[in-house]
Amino acid sequence: MSTQKRAYKFRCYPTDEQKQILARTFGCVRFTYNWALRLKTDAFYKEHTRLYYKDLSSMLTDLKKQDDYRWLNEVSSVPVQQALRHLDKAFITFFEGRGKYPTFKKKRKKQSATYTSSAFTFRNGTLTLAKMQEPLALVWSRPLPEGALPSSVTISKDASDRYFVSLLLEESIAHLTPCETAIGADLGLKSFVVLSDGEIVGNPKFFHKDETKLAKAQRRHAKKKKGSKNREKARRKVARIHARIGDRRSDFLHKLSTRLIRENQTICVESLQVKNMVKNRSLSKAISDVGWSQFVSLLEYKADWYGRNLVKIDKWYPSSKRCFDCGYIFASLTLDVRQWTCPECGVHHDRDINAAKNIRSVGLTVLNACGESVRPGAVKTNPGKTQRSRKPRK
């Protein structure tokens, strides 16, 4: 058993009155976040000083007293105050090297507001937010843990005008029964993932399937008059296509990652630098569509939840060029070569299956701390085997 904070996300359908309250709340949260970001940036670059959460909080209190900003008091103060905490967390993530510099929030993109326990009421399966008289109409697509009480509630609205509620709970998650199965996974474009046991999972290519429809909707949106209702309708249509692509991709990745976690004790994958790989103009669209980073992230936190092992091997390890049987390493192996025969032992390899087997082997070595190096140029081969013939020294 492990105690984890877990979020349960549900679709909700607010009334027209509740939509107006949420619209004002989203606007105040967005304004506060952008206002604080501008103050922090200007203070650092112009005055060479730093503003922290406590400084911005007191400045926000003074701002609400001004006549030009009285409208900030029309919504609950909790989500507005949480915007400062989110900004503080964004800067911590940036300084730790785990994210980019915070950017300003935009009106047409995803909107969200976070309510802590003092700003909502959760009783008998009904959720009522501050400043609202009636509870939100939620679609309970799955049950909550028995006796669970959310510590915070985040309500969001995406670009296609869909509303969602995320309930953050502290839950005890039971570890899965340990097993001895270990598997290596080679991520690719032609096939989404090739496993070391020979299973091949195809690439669904969700964006590619809807690319023509999306391009047509984007052309229609570009031709509409700016500020008109028809342009807003066209924008929502484009957003709905993007939402459909994202929802299908997330559903596929969640189901596949859950299955792999349940069936295997150890999963070995490569550490891919997707941010650098998308710089390739020929493959950037296909790499962005496949969703490698999201898949590895899902495997990572689900392995932590259920007591499984996820091993990431070095990105420079020559998994495709190394013969799994004898350890021979090719000098070069281009992407168009999908099958090859080892010149040392004569074994015929499928490129992806051979890579998955090597990833599994090295991942288990790293997990068991047997000492094999996975850095390029220092990879050990089998005893008595050489990578290429060398002339004796004179």
Side-chain angles (χ1 to χ4, degrees), residues 380-393:
K380 298 179 182 179
T381 59
N382 289 357
K385 300 294 182 180
T386 57
Q387 297 182 27
R388 61 179 181 271
S389 59
R390 296 183 179 180
K391 296 181 179 180
R393 293 183 179 179

Side-chain angles (χ1 to χ4, degrees), residues 116-130 135 150 153:
T116 56
S117 57
S118 61
F120 68 87
T121 303
F122 185 77
R123 188 181 296 113
N124 298 328
T126 59
L127 176 65
T128 305
L129 301 179
V153 172

Side-chain angles (χ1 to χ4, degrees), residues 66-222:
Q66 300 181 16
D67 294 337
D68 294 339
Y69 300 97
R70 294 283 185 181
W71 45 272
L72 289 173
N73 298 307
E74 296 178 0
V75 301
S76 174
S77 61
V78 174
V80 177
Q81 199 73 21
Q82 287 296 113
L84 300 181
R85 297 187 182 275
H86 292 164
L87 179 63
D88 190 57
K89 185 177 180 180
F91 270 98
I92 293 176
T93 303
F94 167 71
F95 286 120
E96 290 180 351
R98 296 183 289 109
K100 296 182 179 181
Y101 192 85
T103 58
F104 294 103
K105 293 184 178 296
K106 297 181 180 180
K107 183 177 181 180
R108 294 301 179 188
K109 292 190 176 181
K110 179 182 178 180
Q111 308 294 315
S112 64
T114 302
Y115 296 78
T116 56
S117 57
S118 61
F120 68 87
T121 303
F122 185 77
R123 188 181 296 113
N124 298 328
T126 59
L127 176 65
T128 305
L129 301 179
K131 301 291 184 178
M132 293 186 182
Q133 303 298 328
E134 300 178 357
L136 287 171
L138 299 180
V139 178
W140 298 101
S141 54
R142 55 176 173 166
L144 294 177
E146 185 177 356
L149 293 176
S151 59
S152 66
V153 172
T154 300
I155 184 166
S156 59
K157 173 188 173 185
D158 62 6
S160 59
D161 293 347
R162 298 183 302 175
Y163 291 84
F164 298 92
V165 169
S166 179
L167 307 177
L168 184 62
L169 311 173
E170 189 168 313
E171 181 182 358
S172 296
I173 303 176
H175 287 177
L176 297 174
T177 304
C179 60
E180 298 181 356
T181 310
I183 204 165
D186 179 53
L187 303 176
L189 293 178
K190 183 178 180 181
S191 300
F192 175 73
V193 62
V194 177
L195 304 179
S196 57
D197 59 1
E199 181 183 354
I200 299 176
V201 180
N203 184 3
K205 297 183 179 180
F206 296 112
F207 178 82
H208 178 72
K209 292 178 180 178
D210 287 346
E211 187 174 7
T212 303
K213 184 188 298 183
L214 178 62
K216 184 177 180 180
Q218 288 174 331
R219 287 195 298 268
R220 289 183 175 180
H221 171 255

Side-chain angles (χ1 to χ4, degrees), residues 332-348:
S332 63
L333 192 66
T334 58
L335 288 176
D336 59 326
V337 179
R338 308 314 303 174
Q339 295 183 355
W340 57 282
T341 302
C342 178
E344 190 73 26
C345 63
V347 178
H348 187 72

Side-chain angles (χ1 to χ4, degrees), residues 25 57 177 189 302 313 372:
T25 304
S57 181
T177 304
L189 293 178
K302 289 180 182 180
I313 72 168
E372 179 171 350

